[in-house]
Amino acid sequence: MSLVSGPGRGGASAGGHVPDELKLVVEKHVEYIQSLDTRQDELEYWLTEHLRLNGVYWGLTALHLLGHPDALSRLATIDFILSCQHENGGFGAAPGHDAHMLYTVSAVQILGTVDALEELDRRGKAGTEKVGKYIADLQNQETGSFAGDQWGETDTRFLYGALNALSLLHMLRLVNVSKAVTHIQACANFDGGYGVSPGAESHAGQIFTCVAALAIAGRLDLVDKDRLGGWLSERQVPNGGLNGRPEKVEDVCYSWWVGSSLAMIDRLHWINGDKLAQFILRCQDPDKGGIADRPGDMVDVFHTHFGIAGLSLIGFPGLIAVDPIYCMPREVTKRLLGKLNT
Amino acid sequence: MASHGVPRVQPATDRDQKKEQQKIKDYKGLVDSVNDGIRGCQCTTKTLELTSKLLKWNPEYYTIWNHRRLILKHQFEHPDSQVTNAVAGPDHETVMNTISDELAFLIPLLRKFPKCYWIWNYRLWLLKDSTRLLSVLEARKFWQQELALVGKMLSLDSRNFHGWGYRRTVVSALEGIALQAEGSVTSMTEIEFEYTTKMINLNLSNFSAWHNRSKLIPILLDERGADHLARRNFLDEELELIERALWAGSEDQSLWFYHQYLMCTFDPKYAAESMAPDLTTTERSTYVREQILKVRDMLDGAEDCKWIYQSLISLSILYRDLGNESIEKEVAIEDHIAELINLDPLRAGRSSNLLLDPSLLIMTTCKSVAVAGMPTYLPIRNFLLQIPLLKTSSPILTRLLIDKSGLFPTFIVVKRNPFEAKEAARMEFLLELQPDGDGADVNTEDIDYFSTQALVEVRGVFRNFRFCDRFINYVYDDGFIHVIQMLGRYTDLTDGSIEILGGQGHTTQKAWGQWRTGPPMISLSSPSTWALDLDGVQPRLHGVEFQRMKIELGSREIEQER
């Protein structure tokens, strides 16, 4: 899956005029995502190789939410994912790239989505137990936080990723969940939000990771819901889009980070869903498919995915329901988690 | 990362195409040579230079940063390798020079790609290595330089997320035990606090700086050993600072969030961790009262500033919760909320939640729909209702009393209507349940409102409800059925238990009839949008037996399941 941006541009054909009734161009988006891996004649295809596995997760999940789960070859997807695995259980962004938490989580999510987790034991370079162990070993026993890889960068993104993947694998027992929860609490701020690490400023993306991690740990009771909901609702700007921090510019991807966080704390109605949907739809390229960060910018699969996930979250007609905790189709997480975790 | 803010590019010509193919070839060739070097364990100067070239081209290629670390590690551990000219043994000067060169190599990259995580990570790794491998004085020098560097970066982009985070990391390293000369411990809290003041004075809208300030103050006061009086004085200074700032920029949300932070000092829920945890309730009340008056003064000339109303609402609620009577009886919290909804329609769902008991379901907006076949009297029980009525001369919020056994509800007037639309021909009433009411306190004045009930539309609150699916969900309560489109999280009925997670959606059916005998009948009318807040509802639902309804949209047929 290529991370090449373009060729289209959000709102390209609107010619400055935005029609009142914007449609989600489902077929175009499907074609756009399908075409991504055919763009090897572009330099950017190669420059974005370090995001390839994430790209597959974004493209595949978007296709599932669009109701086209078979638009990518299941077998080719599994083959590619397995080709990124290392013997220690971790996954890199592409074959030959170092193992890292971010790609390991995406790999588990993708295999889960295409119902192929058992392929890890069947033909992975390492089986499920080793994948779980790779993730679990990145936990800092003292603080409960997680590193991204052996070089030690620590970020609440990795903590969330670990709980996400381990819960999907039913292997949360491998880590100290309560210490992880304590670490998240240490990242909380007076505004109800959470940062990258203790002391860091609240940021909608980190809020998503912290709130979702608490949701997986079953500790949403620790969230100051009204205060956080208030801060998050102020992310919506007059054009309907959402930003990630006060006084920053809006961006389609925050439709997800902000929206899912609000959904998890039962306050999605604190923003205007209709206006958000209109904003996301204005970021589409109605001719070539794909969604950009803002109207007029180049589309890419990252924003395409988070735009569609945002629309699904607010119940946009025709889309498959997304799970706000996992950012995967709800029916997939239901199947994977079974009754125990729901 | 993906293409944030990338404008459209011109379509490529044939010539561009050729150039592009050549670039791809060059790039892939470079990647191959670096990888070959690493695979062959050639931790040499040549490989290092190749990684430099590649990382300048593509700093997001995280694996290459790792390669670079491996080369340096090898160099530090084997100083006689061809990378260095050292003869033998760990050589501080070599390590110093290498780290120094590396840090310098990163500067132009950081300038060009200030948001690239991997560069910052690599830089920190180098610095941590300096702490590990060098003497305290030598390492400290590197970390000190970082503080200057990050100050420079923040002066160019004062909200850079990485910059602020990096600054905190550098400060905490400099304060850390590993970088202390014997016996001395240097706290930088005072300096960092001054730095936030400086940044705020440069630009009031700097939420990053206000945030950092909020984190530093408790530490600062502890380090100063501040007593109650000193803490109060400090608080007064902060209040003065934020008040001055708010007068200059009442639309600036950074300032209001900091104001909210200061108000935590007076809120028993947050006070323990605030800068003055030992204020008495009387002191807190005095402060809050003062704040209400000051914030209200800001309305003069800024009547359309939603932040002022928002602040007044939370201050008034806090003031009330501290055990005080409202400062002004004629201005109810509800009036501020009504104004807030008016000024800030995007967040009407949130503002409406301020109005009502959050344990109930609440609809937030309403389209008045005249419904044929409405029963004369509504058997309303245990609801909060917001209903549109024809406008009368009496703008009143109405409390609804229920005759529990009967079908003839009566209303009494309790409050002004917060939802009064200024120009509308009709107005909406908020009817509130009085759960223990027995209908005895009937205010005959309000009977008049009944005469308009052909327009009554139930918009509000339901106690008995269940959700069956994502899109078609039902609320069944004492003869009322609402078909709801859930937009948020929903229930899972697989094991018969009910889990309601809240969300928003709209009601697509809302008229009813024949409620006295048999199951309710549904008739369709135009949808209205609503939102709900289910906090606290969930516990009440467990153990309640629900009647399962199946309603075919469009066909008006109702099936009943048990």
Side-chain angles (χ1 to χ4, degrees):
Chain A
M1 187 67 53
S2 157
L3 266 293
V4 181
S5 56
R9 185 174 67 146
S13 70
H17 171 72
V18 179
D20 293 334
E21 282 293 318
L22 283 167
K23 286 208 175 79
L24 179 68
V25 291
V26 173
E27 299 300 329
K28 303 274 186 202
H29 293 318
V30 172
E31 285 166 27
Y32 166 73
I33 294 167
Q34 283 177 321
S35 74
L36 286 171
D37 216 35
T38 64
R39 296 171 60 179
Q40 304 180 3
D41 58 342
E42 295 175 45
L43 177 62
E44 210 188 327
Y45 179 93
W46 300 102
L47 288 178
T48 54
E49 197 179 52
H50 60 278
L51 286 170
R52 197 78 82 224
L53 201 149
N54 286 151
V56 174
Y57 160 71
W58 294 324
L60 179 77
T61 308
L63 289 171
H64 274 254
L65 298 178
L66 288 167
H68 290 258
D70 302 322
L72 292 180
S73 153
R74 178 175 181 273
L75 194 64
T77 301
I78 298 169
D79 286 347
F80 172 74
I81 300 306
L82 294 180
S83 75
C84 300
Q85 200 183 19
H86 291 250
E87 274 159 19
N88 64 5
F91 288 78
H97 290 238
D98 283 357
H100 192 283
M101 175 77 83
L102 292 175
Y103 312 105
T104 308
V105 176
S106 288
V108 170
Q109 289 181 294
I110 293 163
L111 292 176
T113 300
V114 299
D115 200 6
L117 280 171
E118 75 282 354
E119 296 287 335
L120 285 170
D121 286 328
R122 195 171 302 154
R123 57 193 181 99
K125 287 194 193 79
T128 315
E129 276 296 326
K130 265 201 153 173
V131 175
K133 192 171 178 312
Y134 173 80
I135 295 169
D137 284 350
L138 290 169
Q139 186 172 32
N140 180 323
Q141 294 306 316
E142 229 166 272
T143 63
S145 62
F146 281 80
D149 61 16
Q150 56 164 320
W151 300 104
E153 184 200 359
T154 303
D155 185 322
T156 43
R157 284 183 301 156
F158 308 142
L159 187 155
Y160 160 69
L163 297 199
N164 176 324
L166 289 177
S167 61
L168 293 176
L169 294 170
H170 295 268
M171 292 169 91
L172 275 177
R173 63 188 150 77
L174 295 182
V175 292
N176 189 334
V177 174
S178 71
K179 271 217 162 156
V181 167
T182 309
H183 179 73
I184 296 172
Q185 280 182 288
C187 299
N189 291 320
F190 75 86
D191 49 34
Y194 300 86
V196 165
S197 56
E201 180 185 347
S202 297
H203 179 291
Q206 307 300 145
I207 289 170
F208 163 76
T209 64
C210 291
V211 174
L214 289 173
I216 293 169
R219 293 310 308 273
L220 280 176
D221 60 299
L222 297 173
V223 180
D224 190 345
K225 293 180 184 168
D226 283 337
R227 196 148 276 204
L228 174 59
W231 191 89
L232 287 169
S233 70
E234 297 297 348
R235 297 307 107 237
Q236 191 162 36
V237 301
N239 72 9
L242 299 160
N243 62 19
R245 288 189 288 152
E247 278 109 25
K248 297 297 256 185
V249 69
E250 70 280 7
D251 182 323
V252 156
C253 66
Y254 289 109
S255 311
W256 177 259
W257 314 121
V258 174
S260 61
S261 302
L262 283 168
M264 285 185 276
I265 59 167
D266 307 332
R267 276 152 185 76
L268 188 54
H269 63 286
W270 284 18
I271 55 170
N272 188 316
D274 289 343
K275 287 208 87 172
L276 174 60
Q278 292 297 308
F279 171 75
I280 298 171
L281 294 176
R282 281 199 303 276
C283 296
Q284 297 179 109
D285 181 332
D287 299 326
K288 294 179 186 134
I291 298 175
D293 57 351
R294 278 181 290 285
D297 286 346
M298 298 278 270
V299 304
D300 62 63
V301 69
F302 173 85
H303 290 96
T304 304
H305 162 70
F306 284 114
I308 289 165
L311 288 172
S312 165
L313 197 66
I314 53 176
F316 194 84
L319 292 177
I320 302 297
V322 67
D323 186 323
I325 301 170
Y326 288 90
C327 200
M328 293 161 71
R330 179 74 180 120
E331 54 203 38
V332 169
T333 55
K334 261 182 158 175
R335 164 169 58 74
L336 291 172
L337 297 170
K339 270 194 184 171
L340 271 178
N341 290 29
T342 47
Chain B
M1 187 41 75
S3 59
H4 284 89
V6 180
R8 199 184 196 184
V9 291
Q10 291 295 318
T13 62
D14 276 356
R15 201 161 161 204
D16 291 340
Q17 272 294 343
K18 262 191 195 150
K19 262 193 193 163
E20 180 100 343
Q21 294 316 308
Q22 186 55 48
K23 273 191 198 161
I24 292 174
K25 214 179 140 198
D26 294 348
Y27 178 77
K28 286 172 76 175
L30 184 54
V31 169
D32 286 345
S33 1
V34 171
N35 284 334
D36 287 348
I38 294 301
R39 263 193 295 272
C41 296
Q42 294 171 334
C43 294
T44 61
T45 311
K46 187 170 164 259
T47 315
L48 193 74
E49 277 166 7
L50 287 173
T51 66
S52 306
K53 203 173 161 193
L54 184 49
L55 288 167
K56 276 190 221 160
W57 200 342
N58 186 7
E60 294 280 0
Y61 199 157
Y62 68 95
T63 304
I64 306 304
W65 288 112
N66 296 345
H67 289 350
R68 206 170 168 90
R69 288 182 174 105
L70 289 174
I71 296 170
L72 291 195
K73 258 183 92 169
H74 185 265
Q75 178 189 346
F76 293 153
E77 283 157 20
H78 306 90
D80 52 345
S81 76
Q82 55 176 300
V83 180
T84 75
N85 297 320
V87 187
D91 176 349
H92 274 205
E93 207 182 312
T94 308
V95 175
M96 285 267 298
N97 290 342
T98 309
I99 291 178
S100 179
D101 289 351
E102 286 296 291
L103 293 173
F105 162 69
L106 298 177
I107 297 291
L109 285 176
L110 280 174
R111 211 167 271 153
K112 205 169 163 192
F113 310 96
K115 288 184 175 180
C116 178
Y117 280 92
W118 307 110
I119 310 177
W120 292 102
N121 292 340
Y122 179 72
R123 195 168 179 90
L124 272 179
W125 178 83
L126 284 170
L127 288 158
K128 283 177 187 162
D129 249 16
S130 80
T131 310
R132 192 169 60 87
L133 297 169
L134 299 173
S135 72
V136 169
L137 275 179
E138 288 165 332
R140 206 175 161 80
K141 206 175 138 204
F142 280 123
W143 286 96
Q144 286 283 10
Q145 285 168 357
E146 287 307 285
L147 202 59
L149 170 88
V150 76
K152 211 169 176 183
M153 293 213 62
L154 286 175
S155 70
L156 295 172
D157 175 7
S158 65
R159 291 293 307 283
N160 186 308
F161 196 69
H162 299 283
W164 280 96
Y166 192 71
R167 185 174 184 96
R168 276 184 292 270
T169 309
V170 171
V171 166
S172 98
L174 281 168
E175 289 176 330
I177 192 75
L179 290 181
Q180 303 309 320
E182 228 168 291
S184 71
V185 174
T186 359
S187 164
M188 296 175 65
T189 315
E190 297 278 355
I191 303 166
E192 287 306 290
F193 181 75
E194 277 314 309
Y195 182 72
T196 67
T197 313
K198 182 184 132 194
M199 294 304 275
I200 288 162
N201 286 338
L202 283 172
N203 173 17
L204 284 177
S205 273
N206 193 333
F207 186 66
S208 306
W210 290 109
H211 161 82
N212 220 24
R213 198 172 177 87
S214 79
K215 289 284 176 188
L216 290 165
I217 287 175
I219 307 168
L220 184 86
L221 290 170
D222 284 349
E223 286 179 2
R224 286 184 186 174
D227 61 8
H228 185 67
L229 187 67
R231 284 170 184 271
R232 271 198 66 151
N233 289 340
F234 194 92
L235 172 66
D236 291 341
E237 278 173 31
E238 287 304 292
L239 286 170
E240 217 183 293
L241 172 73
I242 197 67
E243 283 156 18
R244 271 204 316 272
L246 281 171
W247 273 103
S250 61
E251 289 287 349
D252 188 330
Q253 56 175 282
S254 301
L255 304 180
W256 286 108
F257 282 123
Y258 192 70
H259 186 259
Q260 182 190 47
Y261 162 71
L262 294 180
M263 296 305 109
C264 292
T265 321
F266 316 126
D267 190 336
K269 189 178 162 197
Y270 301 102
E273 285 160 33
S274 74
M275 65 181 81
D278 298 327
L279 292 179
T280 64
T281 304
T282 317
E283 284 175 312
R284 286 176 185 158
S285 291
T286 310
Y287 269 112
V288 175
R289 187 190 161 84
E290 204 172 275
Q291 284 300 313
I292 292 176
L293 298 174
K294 281 181 174 165
V295 171
R296 211 185 46 200
D297 281 351
M298 289 179 199
L299 274 178
D300 191 17
E303 291 85 355
D304 56 352
C305 175
K306 69 139 183 169
W307 294 97
I308 299 179
Y309 293 98
Q310 211 155 285
S311 179
L312 281 174
I313 292 162
S314 53
L315 285 168
S316 303
I317 292 172
L318 177 56
Y319 193 62
R320 190 193 63 198
D321 290 350
L322 286 168
N324 302 289
E325 291 284 317
S326 173
I327 289 181
E328 287 174 296
K329 290 217 165 52
E330 72 274 18
V331 185
I333 294 174
E334 282 82 357
D335 292 297
H336 291 320
I337 295 174
E339 196 57 49
L340 184 58
I341 290 171
N342 198 23
L343 288 170
D344 190 17
L346 280 181
R347 281 159 281 270
R350 178 188 173 211
S351 309
S352 303
N353 279 182
L354 295 169
L355 256 184
L356 306 161
D357 178 353
S359 71
L360 298 171
L361 294 176
I362 297 148
M363 295 183 175
T364 56
T365 62
C366 174
K367 286 173 195 156
S368 167
V369 182
V371 179
M374 183 70 73
T376 313
Y377 294 105
L378 303 175
I380 298 165
R381 185 178 299 163
N382 291 341
F383 299 122
L384 250 170
L385 304 174
Q386 188 183 330
I387 61 171
L389 296 176
L390 291 175
K391 189 164 186 171
T392 71
S393 57
S394 176
I396 293 164
L397 180 79
T398 307
R399 184 175 288 264
L400 175 62
L401 289 178
I402 313 290
D403 177 351
K404 286 203 167 167
S405 62
L407 309 160
F408 303 98
T410 44
F411 302 87
I412 62 163
V413 175
V414 287
K415 281 178 186 169
R416 287 179 56 193
N417 167 36
F419 285 102
E420 183 182 357
K422 280 179 183 122
E423 302 302 325
R426 59 168 190 83
M427 59 184 300
E428 293 168 355
F429 279 71
L430 196 70
L431 308 179
E432 195 179 334
L433 166 76
Q434 189 171 313
D436 300 322
D438 57 7
D441 299 319
V442 176
N443 184 337
T444 47
E445 264 181 38
D446 304 313
I447 299 298
D448 280 348
Y449 297 122
F450 266 118
S451 64
T452 63
Q453 66 185 288
L455 285 177
V456 167
E457 178 189 4
V458 177
R459 301 183 50 234
V461 176
F462 309 90
R463 206 162 265 184
N464 297 331
F465 52 90
R466 70 178 299 158
F467 300 97
C468 296
D469 200 340
R470 182 174 170 77
F471 291 109
I472 310 294
N473 303 285
Y474 316 106
V475 171
Y476 172 62
D477 198 299
D478 288 3
F480 296 12
I481 289 184
H482 282 231
V483 179
I484 294 165
Q485 183 186 4
M486 284 294 293
L487 296 186
R489 297 171 64 195
Y490 53 98
T491 61
D492 193 337
L493 294 181
T494 47
D495 60 354
S497 71
I498 290 162
E499 186 194 2
I500 294 173
L501 302 158
Q504 61 185 41
H506 38 256
T507 306
T508 51
Q509 303 189 17
K510 53 169 117 25
W512 52 88
Q514 293 189 5
W515 40 269
R516 297 170 86 169
T517 54
M521 253 175 59
I522 303 288
S523 58
L524 293 166
S525 61
S526 39
S528 68
T529 304
W530 56 269
L532 53 86
D533 184 330
L534 291 155
D535 255 12
V537 173
Q538 201 176 329
R540 288 213 299 263
L541 287 170
H542 293 302
V544 178
E545 267 225 19
F546 288 90
Q547 210 178 31
R548 186 161 181 178
M549 307 293 299
K550 189 181 172 192
I551 300 166
E552 295 291 328
L553 273 174
S555 71
R556 302 191 184 193
E557 277 176 18
I558 301 167
E559 260 178 60
Q560 211 174 335
E561 291 170 24
R562 290 283 171 190

